């Protein structure tokens, strides 16, 4: 069923315009028409989000999925600051050969093998990535301790906010890169890091 299967829609009693909801200014879409949307999107990812690109490269199945998708794909690219925030230990775990399975799973949560725009995210309650389901919520600002805040027009994916969206299109194929300020994979996955010890390793 295509996108219907991928999006868990939150049906509204009125349109966003009627309710006064607006997408955030920082989430402007920059659409580039080019000869190879998929290649251009991946090149853009490698140049602007090298750590996210490196993470994605750890999952061969994810790479195959986005290359084979005829309609396009969606990548949630954590920015460099997000990886710095992880700290040295977690960054090291991502490249440790003992954690290949965990790293592949984390990477899978950042890919959807079809295009999902920021507007679709804004109007959904969650999405199903190659790794599994993750919740989407409308972001808020103001208030104290998460209470009393007002919707600011943005959207978060499993707690990480979409900062900017860039689209690459080629005919009917659309490849989307959503910059996020943190990894969107379940935090529980980190519990499984370093579980498998290679004999002789420290």
């Amino acid at each position: 069923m295509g996108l219907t299967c991928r999006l868990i829609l939150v049906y509204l009693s009125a349109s966003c315009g009627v309710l006064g909801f607006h997408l955030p200014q920082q989430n402007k879409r920059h659409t580039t028409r080019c000869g190879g949307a998929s290649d251009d999107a991946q090149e853009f990812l490698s140049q602007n989000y090298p750590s996210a690109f490196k993470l994605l490269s750890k999952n061969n199945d994810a790479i195959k999925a986005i290359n084979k998708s005829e309609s396009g794909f969606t990548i949630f690219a954590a920015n460099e600051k997000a990886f710095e925030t992880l700290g040295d230990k977690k960054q090291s775990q991502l490249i440790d050969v003992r954690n290949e399975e965990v790293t592949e799973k984390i990477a899978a949560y950042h890919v959807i093998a079809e295009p999902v725009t920021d507007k679709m995210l804004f109007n959904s309650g969650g999405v199903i990535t190659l790794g599994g389901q993750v919740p989407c919520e409308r972001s808020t600002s103001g208030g104290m301790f998460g209470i009393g805040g007002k919707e600011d027009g943005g959207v978060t994916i499993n707690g990480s906010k979409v900062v900017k969206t860039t689209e690459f299109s080629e005919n009917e194929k659309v490849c989307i890169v959503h910059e996020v300020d943190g990894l969107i994979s379940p935090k529980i996955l980190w519990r499984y890091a370093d579980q498998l010890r290679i004999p002789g390793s420290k």
Side-chain angles (χ1 to χ4, degrees), residues 34 36-54 56-69 72-75 77 111 166-170 173-177:
C34 46
S38 178
D39 290 342
D40 285 348
Q42 292 182 62
E43 182 179 357
F44 171 80
L45 185 70
S46 67
Q47 293 179 350
N48 294 275
Y49 308 99
S51 295
F53 181 76
K54 187 175 182 179
L56 180 61
S57 300
K58 297 286 186 179
N59 190 314
N60 291 328
D61 290 338
I63 295 295
K64 290 178 181 179
I66 63 178
N67 286 332
K68 289 182 178 181
S69 177
F73 55 78
T74 302
I75 294 176
V111 180
T166 305
E167 293 184 6
F168 298 85
S169 63
E170 174 191 5
K173 186 172 186 176
V174 181
C175 304
I176 302 174
V177 178

Side-chain angles (χ1 to χ4, degrees), residues 151-168:
E151 291 185 5
D152 57 16
V155 62
T156 63
I157 315 297
N158 203 22
S160 296
K161 189 168 185 177
V162 175
V163 178
K164 183 175 64 175
T165 296
T166 305
E167 293 184 6
F168 298 85

Side-chain angles (χ1 to χ4, degrees), residues 24 35 75 91 109 131 136 153 173 176 178 199:
I75 294 176
Q91 289 184 56
Y109 271 97
C136 296
K173 186 172 186 176
I176 302 174
H178 295 295

Side-chain angles (χ1 to χ4, degrees), residues 186-198:
K187 291 180 175 58
I188 194 174
L189 288 176
W190 292 104
R191 294 186 181 181
Y192 301 100
D194 302 334
Q195 293 287 323
L196 300 178
R197 299 286 178 176
I198 298 177

Side-chain angles (χ1 to χ4, degrees), residues 131-147:
Q133 181 178 323
V134 289
C136 296
E137 295 182 350
R138 294 178 179 181
S139 59
T140 59
S141 58
M144 295 183 66
F145 306 109
I147 301 175

